[in-house]
């Protein structure tokens, strides 16, 4: 079945939304990964958090919009993916909640133990959620144990591969029949590691770009190493994916372009050009997202069991009128979101240093709160 122009447009728009999330929230996760290691004391940790403080909530909008757009434009893609990855996505949601709580609640109480506990949770959640996103993206490239059929009396009955159209017309659906652990393979685990390292490097470059003084020098020094390591691991994973799981030749184009951009970013970091390195790395992440989605071909999800069970974009698609109404809304509101996003980054474009971090804390006294004394509501 040929794809319509509106189906292609919405597939491209979903890719664009994922590019926004990965490139923008990627440095947020990566910055938090440096709460231990690069950060030497309390002031360093507060400096790190202040670089992402004005932006993290706006960056999350891209994730919410990508999920909403998938639900509306390709409902069966959304249903198959979210039901098949249910446990993993619940863990991702919990980790994102922990991360948000760590950012918002850390400074509410004037207690070193309180702040350290939230920093530890923030650090761990950022690493884990990055790995899980990498595993999810790698499953797009590899494919999943998808079959077409029905559940009868609690047992799955696969449809005849020779008559998929008839089975779908008769009410059969796509299901992930392999379970949660089928999502974990050597390839997908390596993908999780690769994405985590890319985010780690992205966050380190962001900190080098946004800070001044001794912290800036240490971040730039670290970026020289993280850039080389993340590029090497990503190259192994991407070439493995292209050779083993591609469905078309043209996914080589973004793969090679991403490789060139990652190498250029690493070289710029070695030359201590953190601004160039960060923006080139952002472009590399954007092209890497394109590579991941192009490996799908005309599919929403590939089946590792049999190509006949692939969930195609045409099968997953909503109706033409739905796409039209959504496109009108996107034309109106997406430019507004993009303009606001750019404006917010321009407003907070200045570098900050340890000197900008006050020595005193504004959090409440934990013991006074427990006694319900000296608390201003």
């Amino acid at each position: 079945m040929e794809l319509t122009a509106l189906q292609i447009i919405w597939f491209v728009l979903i890719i664009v939304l994922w590019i926004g999330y990965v490139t923008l929230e990627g440095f947020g996760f990566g910055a938090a990964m440096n709460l231990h290691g690069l950060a030497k004391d309390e002031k360093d940790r507060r400096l790190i958090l202040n670089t992402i403080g004005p932006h993290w909530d706006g960056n999350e909008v891209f994730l919410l919009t990508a999920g909403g757009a998938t639900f509306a434009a390709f409902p069966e893609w959304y249903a198959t993916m979210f039901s098949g990855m249910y446990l993993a996505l619940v863990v991702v949601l919990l980790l994102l909640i922990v991360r948000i709580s760590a950012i918002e609640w850390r400074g509410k109480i004037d207690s070193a133990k309180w702040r350290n506990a939230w920093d530890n949770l923030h650090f761990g959640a950022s690493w884990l959620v990055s790995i899980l996103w990498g595993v999810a993206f790698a499953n797009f490239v590899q494919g999943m144990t998808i079959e077409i059929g029905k559940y009868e009396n609690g047992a799955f009955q696969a449809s005849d591969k020779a008559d998929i159209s008839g089975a779908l017309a008769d009410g059969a659906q796509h299901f992930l029949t392999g379970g949660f652990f089928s999502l974990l393979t050597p390839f997908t685990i390596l993908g999780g590691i690769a994405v985590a390292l890319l985010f780690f490097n992205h966050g380190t470059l962001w900190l080098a770009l946004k800070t001044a003084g001794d912290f800036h020098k240490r971040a730039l020094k670290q970026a020289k190493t993280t850039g080389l390591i993340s590029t090497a691991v990503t190259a192994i994973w991407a070439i493995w994916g292209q050779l083993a799981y591609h469905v078309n030749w043209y996914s080589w184009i973004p793969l090679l372009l991403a490789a060139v951009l990652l190498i250029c970013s690493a070289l710029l970091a070695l030359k201590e050009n953190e601004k160039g390195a960060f923006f080139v790395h952002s472009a590399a992440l954007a092209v890497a997202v394109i590579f991941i989605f192009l490996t799908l071909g005309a599919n929403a999800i590939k089946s590792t069991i049999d190509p006949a069970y692939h969930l195609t974009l045409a099968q997953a698609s909503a109706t033409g009128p739905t796409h039209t109404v959504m496109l009108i809304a996107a034309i109106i509101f997406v430019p507004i979101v993009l303009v606001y996003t750019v404006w917010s980054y321009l407003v907070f474009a200045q570098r900050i240093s340890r000197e900008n971090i006050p020595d005193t804390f504004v959090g409440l006294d934990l013991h006074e709160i427990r006694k319900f004394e000296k608390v201003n509501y």
Side-chain angles (χ1 to χ4, degrees):
M1 185 183 297
E2 292 292 330
L3 293 175
T4 67
L6 284 172
Q7 288 170 340
I8 294 172
I9 288 171
W10 272 104
F11 183 61
V12 171
L13 286 175
I14 289 170
I15 295 174
V16 170
L17 291 169
W18 276 109
I19 287 173
Y21 181 70
V22 168
T23 56
L24 297 179
E25 197 69 319
F27 71 70
F29 293 134
M33 293 175 188
N34 283 287
L35 286 171
H36 294 297
L38 188 60
K40 302 300 183 183
D41 55 21
E42 169 65 20
K43 272 201 172 184
D44 281 352
R45 290 191 289 272
R46 292 172 70 185
L47 180 64
I48 289 172
L49 294 172
N50 281 355
T51 66
I52 62 175
H55 307 298
W56 70 265
D57 48 355
N59 297 340
E60 290 287 345
V61 170
F62 286 92
L63 174 62
L64 298 174
T65 311
T70 304
F71 171 77
F74 300 99
E76 191 169 350
W77 185 8
Y78 179 94
T80 305
M81 179 173 59
F82 275 69
S83 61
M85 296 182 170
Y86 182 79
L87 179 59
L89 290 172
V90 167
V91 174
V92 167
L93 177 61
L94 292 175
L95 291 171
L96 291 177
I97 292 173
V98 168
R99 175 175 177 262
I100 292 168
S101 300
I103 294 173
E104 292 295 321
W105 294 352
R106 179 187 191 276
K108 302 302 182 184
I109 303 296
D110 186 6
S111 164
K113 289 184 178 179
W114 172 273
R115 291 190 295 271
N116 289 336
W118 283 116
D119 286 344
N120 291 335
L121 288 170
H122 193 180
F123 172 81
S126 296
W127 274 104
L128 288 174
V129 78
S130 299
I131 291 171
L132 288 174
W133 279 131
V135 170
F137 289 139
N139 271 283
F140 282 166
V141 177
Q142 173 189 264
M144 293 181 275
T145 53
I146 299 294
E147 293 184 80
I148 297 175
K150 296 180 180 179
Y151 276 93
E152 298 179 0
N153 299 321
F156 180 77
Q157 301 294 327
S159 300
D160 183 2
K161 290 180 286 187
D163 187 23
I164 294 299
S165 297
L168 292 173
D170 192 38
Q173 293 180 309
H174 292 80
F175 293 96
L176 177 71
T177 57
F180 171 77
F181 289 103
S182 68
L183 302 173
L184 300 176
T185 67
F187 177 75
T188 61
I189 292 171
L190 181 61
I193 295 170
V195 169
L197 291 175
L198 284 172
F199 284 176
F200 183 45
N201 183 55
H202 201 44
T204 303
L205 289 170
W206 168 258
L207 294 174
L209 178 66
K210 289 292 296 178
T211 60
D214 179 67
F215 186 90
H216 159 77
K217 294 177 181 177
R218 285 189 280 119
L220 188 54
K221 181 180 179 181
Q222 178 174 289
K224 296 176 182 179
T225 302
T226 57
L228 295 173
I229 295 173
S230 63
T231 298
V233 174
T234 303
I236 295 171
W237 175 80
I239 293 173
W240 182 359
Q242 178 64 18
L243 293 177
Y245 304 113
H246 79 285
V247 295
N248 52 65
W249 64 266
Y250 50 79
S251 52
W252 276 106
I253 298 173
L255 187 155
L256 296 175
L257 181 56
V260 171
L261 290 170
L262 286 173
I263 292 170
C264 289
S265 175
L267 292 175
L268 287 169
L270 290 172
K271 293 183 178 181
E272 300 189 349
N273 181 353
E274 69 273 9
K275 184 175 182 180
F278 175 78
F279 286 108
V280 171
H281 198 266
S282 298
L285 290 179
V287 177
V289 172
I290 295 173
F291 162 73
I292 289 168
F293 281 92
L294 283 188
T295 60
L296 292 170
N299 304 301
I301 304 176
K302 296 184 294 187
S303 171
T304 57
I305 296 175
D306 193 286
Y309 292 141
H310 287 348
L311 173 61
T312 67
L313 290 170
Q315 292 168 343
S317 177
T319 62
T322 300
H323 286 163
T324 301
V325 172
M326 290 173 59
L327 186 60
I328 294 171
I331 291 172
I332 296 172
F333 292 107
V334 169
I336 295 174
V337 172
L338 293 178
V339 169
Y340 173 78
T341 300
V342 172
W343 174 81
S344 68
Y345 278 90
L346 291 175
V347 168
F348 295 98
Q350 68 274 14
R351 294 176 184 263
I352 57 176
S353 66
R354 288 173 59 94
E355 286 68 32
N356 299 119
I357 307 299
D359 295 324
T360 57
F361 298 96
V362 295
L364 299 174
D365 188 312
L366 183 61
H367 301 291
E368 296 297 333
I369 291 176
R370 289 175 176 173
K371 294 188 295 185
F372 296 98
E373 297 176 359
K374 300 179 181 180
V375 180
N376 297 319
Y377 293 99

